[in-house]
Amino acid sequence: MPNSQNRNNRRKREEHSETLIIPHITKEMLEKARAMAAQGASRAEIEQAIAQMQGVATANPEPESQPKPEPDARRIIPTSRKRHTDEERKAMLEQMRQERAQREEERREEASRRTQRPAWHFPAPRAAREEPPAATPAEPAETRPDATIRIPAVKPAPQPQPQEQPARVAGPAQPAPEPKAAAQPVKSTEPAAPVAPAAPKEQPQPAPKRHAGLLRSRAEAEAELNEKIRSDHIWLSNPVMVCGLGLAPVVGAALDGERALILCVASLLLITFTRVLAVAVCHLSGNRFRPIIYSYAAALLYIPVYILLYEFFGNSLTALGIYLPILVVEPAIVKRMEFAELEPLRDALRHGFNNGIGMCVALLIVGCLREFLASGTVFGHEVIHMALLPLAAQPAGGFVLVGVIAAVWCAVANAYTDYKREEVHRLYAGRKH
């Protein structure tokens, strides 16, 4: 049975239109052939017209371009930017080095300006340049053969920094002087013609004075303020009211003014001399064994301090009970061993004395106030005839009273320190450093 699909295919090939095979056809030739076929031209006419167009194209052949060498596959040629020659690359590198050097110079100038900024805010007034006085006409004087005439130096053309020219010496015809005499003009005691005064030397400008309010940068001013606050052991950094040290003798033993006074003397002697003795021994030991040194120093000094207190106060020391010997291990005394740096003996004496004074102030305030509230007396002298708060004579009342005083004390101290910090911020508000 014949294949119907093959028969259909042959029928389609017979009905298909003829196809022209034209070598080297162009777009113009194709458009020309389509236009002639639409007008009903025959195949011979279309081939003749295309042959004429090919003849014209071959009559004026384009010059053959030289074959281009094949590019190296391993070489990467950038096509997104312009290629430069070696001279252009060298010029660009030199320009980059100059720009880098200029930026480095600007950075150094900015750093020098930041370090010298306080002096720039208040520069010294520029002194007006003094003009040399005009030379007065000299009166005719009688010339002598042994007199020396000084001729004013000839000033050169004006320059930004004029330099003084040495004066020339001229005189009558004389034999050649010695070489030493030629270096310096001969001074004559006889009157000579007046000499025009030389231009005065410019005096160096004095260094600009710094303003008292802006001696340093903002960070340095804040650091100095913090150091002042930390070193003020009487008011802003009181060891009892602010730091909370020494509360046991303040609450348990400072019941009246007399006991508070005994504790003040004992604390002042122990705190000051324990710190000095411990720092001196730490200097010898290379700042090692600090806890042991501070504890033994306080224990050794307690014996002479107790003897001295007994000579002054007698049997009144027994009223303090255990709170007097417990001062040996008082945190206000041994707290210094927490700091790793070793201070000089002079600073140790000053800091120890300031800590002792701060503790004495707290003891006297609490002791006198408790005596006044509990019995209406101060150091045994009657002030009022009634007891305002009898609980103040007990340890519980002492805790309450010390807490109230410490709260008020810290509130006032914090308000003052905040005010000083705001003042520093206002002074250095417009400065970056």
Side-chain angles (χ1 to χ4, degrees), residues 144 146-149 185-192:
R144 300 182 182 225
D146 55 350
T148 303
I149 300 175
V186 180
K187 296 184 180 180
S188 177
T189 55
E190 299 181 4

Side-chain angles (χ1 to χ4, degrees), residues 234-235 238 240-243 247 250-251 254 358 361-373 389 392 397-414:
I234 299 175
W235 166 240
N238 189 276
V240 179
M241 297 300 175
V242 178
C243 301
L247 291 177
V250 173
V251 175
V361 170
L363 284 168
L364 288 175
I365 291 176
V366 174
C368 294
L369 189 57
R370 292 177 71 178
E371 182 182 0
F372 174 74
L373 294 176
L389 184 63
F399 271 112
V400 174
L401 190 60
V402 170
V404 172
I405 296 175
V408 176
W409 190 300
C410 291
V412 177
N414 291 337

Side-chain angles (χ1 to χ4, degrees), residues 100-178:
R100 190 181 300 111
Q102 185 177 1
R103 288 195 300 268
E104 184 69 17
E105 186 66 24
E106 292 176 356
R107 187 184 64 79
R108 292 179 181 175
E109 292 179 358
E110 180 66 20
S112 63
R113 282 198 298 270
R114 289 180 179 177
T115 55
Q116 301 176 1
R117 190 175 302 235
W120 291 1
H121 283 280
F122 306 95
R126 228 175 180 181
R129 187 176 178 183
E130 299 180 359
E131 295 292 338
T136 56
E139 297 180 359
E142 184 179 358
T143 58
R144 300 182 182 225
D146 55 350
T148 303
I149 300 175
R150 294 177 61 87
I151 300 176
V154 179
K155 296 182 180 180
Q159 297 179 357
Q161 294 182 356
Q163 297 181 356
E164 187 179 0
Q165 298 288 341
R168 299 180 181 177
V169 179
Q174 293 182 0
E178 297 180 0

